[in-house]
């Protein structure tokens, strides 16, 4: 079941969180904090679901996600570096309109008209 502590911007009742339920997909990532899920990322980081509202924990989870995605892209070579890693939504809301946008920018994501993009330096 979806965690009850939803991040700001998401409604906390279970009925509204059903659409935000993470699904098992190839390329999806889950970041754990102290053994509990803190952040779910859909393939190519298109959508994020945060399971904590604590800024320090969420910020650390986003930084870990950015570091892992960068390392994966570099390991894939030239094609991996050119892969578009764009966060379009956070907890069902547009990413650039959420309080999480500042945490994403602090982790190296860059604002775009349709979300926040992670650029990977090939060097």
């Amino acid at each position: 079941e979806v965690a009850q502590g939803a991040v700001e911007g998401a409604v906390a009742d279970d009925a509204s969180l059903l659409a935000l339920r993470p699904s098992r997909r190839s390329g999806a990532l889950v970041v754990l904090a102290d053994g509990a899920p803190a952040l779910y990322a859909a393939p190519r980081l298109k959508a994020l679901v945060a399971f904590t509202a604590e800024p320090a924990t969420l910020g650390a989870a986003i930084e870990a996600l950015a570091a892992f995605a960068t390392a994966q892209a570099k390991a894939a070579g030239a094609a991996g570096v050119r892969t578009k890693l764009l966060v379009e939504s956070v907890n069902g809301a547009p990413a650039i309109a959420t309080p999480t946008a500042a945490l994403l920018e602090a982790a190296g994501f860059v604002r775009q008209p349709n979300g926040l993009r992670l650029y990977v330096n090939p060097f």
Side-chain angles (χ1 to χ4, degrees):
E1 273 198 298
V2 176
Q4 297 238 347
V7 174
E8 309 104 88
V11 181
D13 65 358
D14 288 337
S16 65
L17 290 175
L18 288 176
L20 302 175
R21 183 177 299 173
S23 60
R24 224 175 120 158
R25 296 171 160 170
S26 176
L29 302 169
V30 176
V31 180
L32 302 176
D34 295 326
L39 187 66
Y40 165 85
R44 293 190 183 183
L45 310 182
K46 185 174 181 176
L48 300 179
V49 177
F51 295 106
T52 180
E54 186 179 327
T57 303
L58 188 55
I62 290 171
E63 287 180 18
L65 177 68
F68 182 79
T70 299
Q72 288 288 77
K74 285 183 178 182
V81 172
R82 287 191 302 268
T83 301
K84 188 175 181 181
L85 301 171
L86 180 71
V87 177
E88 294 177 2
S89 68
V90 176
N91 288 356
I96 55 177
T98 64
T100 309
L103 297 173
L104 288 163
E105 286 180 301
F109 288 78
V110 178
R111 281 186 180 264
Q112 301 286 307
N114 55 342
L116 290 115
R117 184 169 181 180
L118 180 64
Y119 290 96
V120 178
N121 184 349
F123 304 106

